[in-house]
Amino acid sequence: MTQIKEIQHLLQSQDLWKTHFSIRANPNQRGQSTSYFIYDETGTPIYIAKFFDFFKNISIPPSIDVHSCQQPEDVIDQLADADDFMDDIGSVSDMFYYQKRSFTRYVQVCLEEDIGFPRIFAVKENLLIHSHFYGLLIEEAINGITLEDYLKSSISNDDRTTFAIDFLFKMSNIIEKFVKNGIVHRDLSPDNIMISNHQFIVIDPGVVKIISRNTTELGYVMGKRAYASPEQYWGHAVYADFTSDLYSLG
């Protein structure tokens, strides 16, 4: 089944699909996931579907019968025993668990109410498509513009000052909610903040850190280098806390 069919099927299972809806691939694919927009009859995007490929950038040899595996972890077990698998199984296993953990954390933080992330409507994990396992989530589409696009627009100095004060106040409140829920975003940047109805919504929490689940290892660089805090820039994302998000915000 194709990705579009899987999206439609998941929406139908949650009574979210209407016959006049349409699904189109996002022309500006970025980050860890492959995304699609779901439009209503007026052409307005109402949902975004995101596929996280748990085996992204991993070459699976022909000897592995992926379709016989019940869980993606079964593929890792077969890779460890495969004679025609030449890559380092430790590195490949780390890549797999990083991708799957990113999906799980993304879902977890977006399911928390009133934190500042888009709302999630449906989730399906361990989805097998064309010999790859995926995590699929469907979230609300935020109708607005990114902070990056806003800053590129023509606005007066007075408007910039008023906007900056409002931005810092509202985003500080969002980071305070992150702190109360044990969350560190680790990738706050102008393209990951949406402006909608004078409110700010933080998107793409794919590298989010949950304090109660500190599984990040030393050597990992998290976030965009231009906005990453020093501990993240130098590969010590394991030490990131709310001050890392404050640094990025500044």
Side-chain angles (χ1 to χ4, degrees):
M1 189 177 290
T2 65
Q3 290 186 337
I4 288 180
K5 288 292 187 182
E6 289 289 357
I7 294 168
Q8 184 176 341
H9 179 72
L10 182 56
L11 287 168
Q12 287 172 335
S13 70
Q14 301 296 316
D15 293 326
L16 297 171
W17 177 257
K18 306 295 182 183
T19 55
H20 51 257
F21 285 179
S22 60
I23 303 173
R24 281 172 269 170
N26 182 357
N28 300 310
Q29 300 288 353
R30 66 187 185 114
Q32 299 162 292
S33 60
T34 301
S35 59
Y36 294 80
F37 284 106
I38 297 93
Y39 298 86
D40 66 12
E41 69 276 13
T42 67
T44 301
I46 53 175
Y47 306 122
I48 298 176
K50 294 187 175 182
F51 288 88
F52 285 69
D53 185 352
F54 297 154
F55 291 95
K56 185 177 182 179
N57 299 323
I58 297 175
S59 298
I60 301 176
S63 64
I64 305 299
D65 183 9
V66 177
H67 289 272
S68 69
C69 298
Q70 299 298 314
Q71 304 289 333
E73 288 81 2
D74 297 338
V75 179
I76 296 295
D77 291 339
Q78 288 195 30
L79 287 175
D81 298 329
D83 293 332
D84 56 347
F85 183 65
M86 300 293 106
D87 295 331
D88 177 65
I89 187 60
S91 298
V92 167
S93 180
D94 287 345
M95 291 170 61
F96 161 72
Y97 283 107
Y98 172 76
Q99 282 293 110
K100 189 168 186 183
R101 188 165 61 242
S102 295
F103 172 76
T104 302
R105 290 181 177 181
Y106 191 119
V107 171
Q108 181 176 345
V109 299
C110 287
L111 287 176
E112 296 287 344
E113 294 185 2
D114 192 31
I115 291 183
F117 295 118
R119 178 186 173 191
I120 283 185
F121 293 96
V123 177
K124 189 167 185 178
E125 194 173 0
N126 300 337
L127 186 63
L128 182 58
I129 306 175
H130 301 316
S131 300
H132 272 235
F133 276 97
Y134 294 86
L136 169 61
L137 63 87
I138 296 176
E139 67 183 20
E140 65 176 318
I142 306 300
N143 292 314
I145 64 171
T146 65
L147 175 62
E148 182 177 47
D149 288 338
Y150 178 84
L151 294 175
K152 291 177 181 177
S153 63
S154 298
I155 50 179
S156 68
N157 288 333
D158 288 343
D159 287 340
R160 282 184 179 273
T161 300
T162 301
F163 173 82
I165 294 171
D166 184 58
F167 169 75
L168 290 172
F169 176 76
K170 290 178 178 176
M171 282 301 302
S172 296
N173 286 338
I174 289 176
I175 291 179
E176 184 178 14
K177 292 178 182 178
F178 288 175
V179 174
K180 289 180 179 178
N181 287 273
I183 294 169
V184 185
H185 190 277
R186 294 195 294 195
D187 194 20
L188 284 181
S189 57
D191 63 331
N192 274 344
I193 298 173
M194 294 288 296
I195 305 171
S196 177
N197 296 322
H198 305 290
Q199 298 300 318
F200 299 97
I201 298 97
V202 181
I203 61 174
D204 289 341
V207 296
V208 70
K209 175 182 179 181
I210 300 176
I211 301 299
S212 61
R213 297 185 182 182
N214 186 9
T215 56
T216 306
E217 298 178 5
L218 286 171
Y220 277 76
V221 178
M222 298 292 186
K224 299 171 186 67
R225 286 187 177 274
Y227 298 93
S229 61
E231 62 273 13
Q232 294 173 242
Y233 187 93
W234 295 110
H236 302 295
V238 65
Y239 298 126
D241 60 16
F242 79 96
T243 60
S244 302
D245 285 345
L246 286 178
Y247 183 98
S248 300
L249 182 63

